[in-house]
């Protein structure tokens, strides 16, 4: 049986080195062996976040980390702003409402980013905001919000915490948490971090810790103060995802072997441009503008007159190429091409080639090879720099 070519926004393919690391013999999380593993992995992952703060590891999916960011920093009745540019911004809204917060929603059309002007105008009439929540990379639309600019607006306007969901881009997009003024940044293991699901990573600023310490949270399992206390010992308060932390160490090895995280970011940017130029050459429209395009996932509009569901099913059945469909009101209107983590320009060329074959199977009018040629030109140009 042919292996599945997984070009999803997550879970994503796992490198063999990571699989082998996770297959090591199990040991207790209350041993010096684990302390060494934990301290090494969390220290080495800091450059991916752009922080000197400790990285906390939660045995959970990314959604639990988002919930932890809410329940540890604000209390029922507090006023917060949630910037939503798609389905996962709406996640933050739902979490905040569940905890009884007064939520001011800054809503943009799906496919648009939130600009600094948008946020500045929205915050002007508000005077008692405790936190501003947003997604860095909106998985449902392929939008990368200008987080550095948004952080500046938040801090110029108020003392509110700036809390960012980086689940679908940390590990593939630039992140300078300390320099930009992000107060809490979270991600999950199963996307650009090249791991299976089940591990969340959280970084917290000194300013946010002061707020958390003063906040009488009702959280037990998601109590970040507890995670901080145990992290000082090189451990976690509850049983951790030991195998995934072994894998995380191997992920750090791979990033170092690539030449450091800046090279990893460059690779993702090249793949983004390869996908976008290939679709342009095939006269297939994209959902987002180049200015705010995600380096980890591209949302592609359904080619005119093509039965998208049938086409995606055909690609998976005949060519073992698996894309994600649209979410919410974009279901049936777009598909999403994931190019993050353990993905390289050669993988993009393969996927575009198979896309073209599928289009020809559906008698869709294209110039055969045009998309591959455009993607290849982007890749070759990147090698000449």
């Amino acid at each position: 049986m042919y292996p599945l070519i997984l070009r999803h926004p997550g879970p994503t393919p796992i490198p063999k080195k990571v699989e082998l690391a996770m297959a090591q013999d199990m040991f207790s999380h209350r041993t010096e062996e684990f302390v060494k593993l934990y301290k090494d992995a969390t220290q080495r992952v800091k450059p991916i976040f752009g922080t000197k703060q400790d990285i906390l590891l939660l045995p959970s999916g990314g959604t639990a980390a988002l919930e932890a960011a809410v329940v540890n920093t604000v209390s029922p009745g507090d006023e917060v702003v949630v910037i939503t540019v798609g389905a996962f911004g709406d996640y933050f809204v739902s979490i905040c409402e569940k905890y009884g917060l007064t939520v001011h929603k800054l809503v943009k059309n799906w496919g648009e980013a939130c600009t600094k002007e948008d946020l500045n105008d929205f915050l002007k009439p508000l005077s008692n905001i405790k936190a501003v929540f947003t997604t860095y990379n909106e998985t449902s639309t392929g939008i990368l919000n200008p987080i550095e600019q948004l952080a500046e607006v938040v801090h110029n306007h108020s003392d509110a915490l700036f809390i960012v969901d980086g689940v679908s881009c940390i590990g593939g997009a630039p992140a300078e948490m300390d320099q930009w003024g992000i107060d809490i940044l979270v991600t999950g293991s199963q996307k650009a971090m090249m791991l299976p699901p089940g591990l969340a990573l959280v970084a917290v600023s000194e300013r946010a810790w002061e707020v958390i310490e003063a906040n009488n949270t009702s959280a037990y399992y998601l109590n970040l103060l507890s995670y901080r206390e145990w992290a000082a010992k090189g451990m976690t308060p509850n049983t951790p995802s030991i195998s995934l932390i072994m894998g995380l160490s191997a992920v750090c090895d791979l990033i170092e072997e690539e030449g450091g995280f800046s090279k990893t970011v460059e690779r993702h940017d090249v793949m983004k441009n390869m996908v976008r130029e290939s679709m342009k050459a095939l006269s297939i429209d994209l959902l987002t503008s180049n200015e705010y395009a995600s380096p980890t996932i591209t949302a592609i509009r359904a080619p005119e007159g093509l039965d998208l569901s049938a086409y995606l099913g055909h690609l998976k059945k005949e060519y073992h190429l698996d894309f994600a469909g649209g979410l919410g009101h974009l279901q049936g209107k777009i598909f999403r091409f994931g190019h993050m983590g353990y993905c390289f320009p050669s993988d993009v060329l393969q996927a575009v080639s198979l896309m073209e074959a599928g289009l020809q199977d559906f008698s869709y009018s294209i110039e055969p090879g045009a998309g591959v040629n455009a993607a290849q030109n982007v890749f070759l140009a990147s090698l000449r720099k």
Side-chain angles (χ1 to χ4, degrees):
M1 182 176 179
Y2 290 103
L4 188 67
I5 303 168
L6 190 62
R7 294 273 66 88
H8 265 241
T12 62
I14 311 300
K16 183 59 66 177
K17 182 168 185 171
V18 174
E19 290 181 343
L20 291 172
M22 294 188 300
Q24 295 177 82
D25 290 343
M26 187 54 59
F27 53 83
S28 171
H29 60 294
R30 296 292 185 239
T31 61
E32 285 302 315
E33 188 177 6
F34 179 79
V35 170
K36 183 178 184 300
L37 171 68
Y38 182 95
K39 288 185 174 180
D40 177 70
T42 54
Q43 180 66 30
R44 294 169 69 200
V45 82
K46 288 181 181 182
I48 298 173
F49 283 72
T51 187
K52 294 180 180 178
Q53 300 298 323
D54 290 336
I55 306 297
L56 306 178
L57 303 181
L58 281 61
S60 69
T63 302
L66 302 182
E67 184 168 343
V70 173
V71 72
N72 282 272
T73 57
V74 286
S75 301
D78 284 348
E79 293 188 50
V80 300
V81 168
V82 180
I83 301 167
T84 175
V85 298
F88 292 90
D90 292 347
Y91 256 42
F92 251 151
V93 171
S94 297
I95 294 169
C96 289
E97 290 179 342
K98 186 70 174 179
Y99 280 97
L101 306 178
T102 300
V103 181
H104 301 274
K105 293 184 285 187
L106 195 175
V107 181
K108 297 288 292 185
N109 292 330
W110 288 29
E112 296 180 358
C114 177
T115 67
K116 61 182 181 181
E117 291 81 11
D118 293 329
L119 182 57
N120 187 65
D121 291 345
F122 191 83
L123 290 177
K124 275 182 181 178
L126 304 175
S127 59
N128 196 33
I129 300 301
K130 299 296 185 182
V132 176
F133 299 90
T134 192
T135 50
Y136 186 179
N137 188 82
E138 177 51 63
T139 320
S140 64
T141 64
I143 277 288
L144 193 76
N145 274 318
I147 291 298
E148 180 179 8
Q149 296 175 21
L150 299 181
E152 183 179 4
V153 171
V154 171
H155 297 315
N156 285 343
H157 181 273
S158 69
D159 292 326
L161 296 179
F162 187 51
I163 298 174
V164 177
D165 165 7
V167 170
S168 63
C169 67
I170 296 303
E176 296 293 344
M177 175 179 167
D178 296 348
Q179 182 181 325
W180 295 350
I182 298 172
D183 290 299
I184 298 181
L185 179 59
V186 310
T187 195
S189 55
Q190 76 277 18
K191 296 182 183 285
M193 294 302 295
M194 300 186 281
L195 289 161
L199 185 69
L201 298 85
V202 182
V204 182
S205 72
E206 292 297 334
R207 205 167 73 96
W209 279 125
E210 292 176 2
V211 172
I212 292 170
E213 289 164 1
N215 184 48
N216 186 25
T217 181
S218 59
Y220 177 78
Y221 192 74
L222 297 179
N223 189 321
L224 293 180
L225 289 172
S226 179
Y227 279 92
R228 182 178 68 169
E229 177 186 347
W230 281 89
K233 309 173 192 176
M235 296 183 183
T236 56
N238 309 294
T239 306
S241 310
I242 298 172
S243 296
L244 291 175
I245 300 173
M246 292 176 183
L248 178 61
S249 183
V251 167
C252 293
D253 288 343
L254 290 171
I255 290 172
E256 290 168 8
E257 290 166 11
E258 189 169 13
F261 185 55
S262 62
K263 293 295 184 182
T264 303
V265 170
E266 288 177 15
R267 169 168 54 87
H268 282 80
D269 198 55
V270 169
M271 293 190 294
K272 171 194 75 176
N273 292 331
M274 289 174 68
V275 174
R276 297 183 73 81
E277 287 301 312
S278 68
M279 294 304 105
K280 180 179 178 181
L282 294 170
S283 299
I284 296 175
D285 293 334
L286 301 171
L287 182 65
T288 66
S289 68
N290 288 337
E291 184 178 6
Y292 299 111
S294 163
T296 60
I297 182 169
T298 299
I300 301 170
R301 293 187 185 276
E304 187 175 351
L306 185 71
D307 183 333
L308 184 59
S309 178
Y311 173 63
L312 295 179
H314 179 75
L315 289 179
K316 186 173 181 179
K317 180 180 178 181
E318 298 298 328
Y319 299 108
H320 313 284
L321 175 62
D322 195 15
F323 290 121
L327 299 177
H329 68 273
L330 291 180
Q331 187 173 1
K333 298 178 181 178
I334 67 165
F335 65 99
R336 294 173 295 150
F337 186 139
H339 38 83
M340 67 179 84
Y342 194 53
C343 182
F344 297 88
S346 56
D347 297 307
V348 173
L349 290 172
Q350 177 193 45
V352 173
S353 174
L354 295 175
M355 279 184 60
E356 289 191 7
L359 288 171
Q360 291 177 79
D361 291 342
F362 275 68
S363 300
Y364 190 82
S365 179
I366 62 167
E367 179 186 342
V372 173
N373 186 59
Q376 187 179 70
N377 287 339
V378 172
F379 177 42
L380 293 176
S382 73
L383 294 179
R384 299 187 191 106
K385 288 183 179 179

